[in-house]
Amino acid sequence: VKLRQWGYGPHDVPMLFELFDEDKDGELNLAEFVTMMDEIRIGLVPKRVVQLFEALDTDGGGTIDDREFIRCVFPEEFDAIYPDMMEIDSTPLVEEES
């Protein structure tokens, strides 16, 4: 992961998202994400930044939050950073019939 090469880890992501979330809605749109990736200087070309954003925006809503980013980029650290999400993530979306 290029982020690690440049000294960024999963614990830095919430702070970075907050810093670059210009409209303070808790999510980054494409323009905010492009600005963040440019400012942290990890060396991705603009086309690759857009592709990354589109891959992270799994619901197609045009925004991503720090949890989506960490879940995809640092999946092994997700539960440690967001322990409150463990219960939510382990709950089945459809209840089984008895």
Side-chain angles (χ1 to χ4, degrees):
V1 175
K2 282 190 176 247
L3 288 170
R4 287 196 194 277
Q5 292 174 338
W6 291 99
Y8 298 104
H11 293 282
D12 298 312
V13 173
M15 182 268 312
L16 288 169
F17 269 63
E18 185 176 336
L19 181 66
F20 290 97
D21 181 12
E22 293 176 14
D23 58 8
K24 304 301 179 202
D25 65 352
E27 300 178 317
L28 298 184
N29 59 37
L30 178 59
E32 292 166 334
F33 185 74
V34 167
T35 299
M36 179 182 77
M37 297 304 278
D38 185 53
E39 291 289 324
I40 65 175
R41 302 185 188 283
I42 61 167
L44 291 178
V45 297
K47 181 180 179 180
R48 184 67 182 118
V49 172
V50 171
Q51 289 172 337
L52 177 60
F53 181 86
E54 290 171 347
L56 295 170
D57 182 17
T58 57
D59 66 359
T63 60
I64 59 171
D65 64 23
D66 57 312
R67 291 171 190 239
E68 288 174 296
F69 188 90
I70 292 172
R71 186 185 309 270
C72 291
V73 178
F74 299 104
E76 64 281 356
E77 284 100 344
F78 182 84
D79 291 338
I81 295 171
Y82 300 110
D84 59 313
M85 296 297 290
M86 289 175 64
E87 290 179 23
I88 295 169
D89 289 345
S90 64
T91 305
L93 294 176
V94 178
E95 291 186 32
E96 294 180 22
E97 293 184 26
S98 339

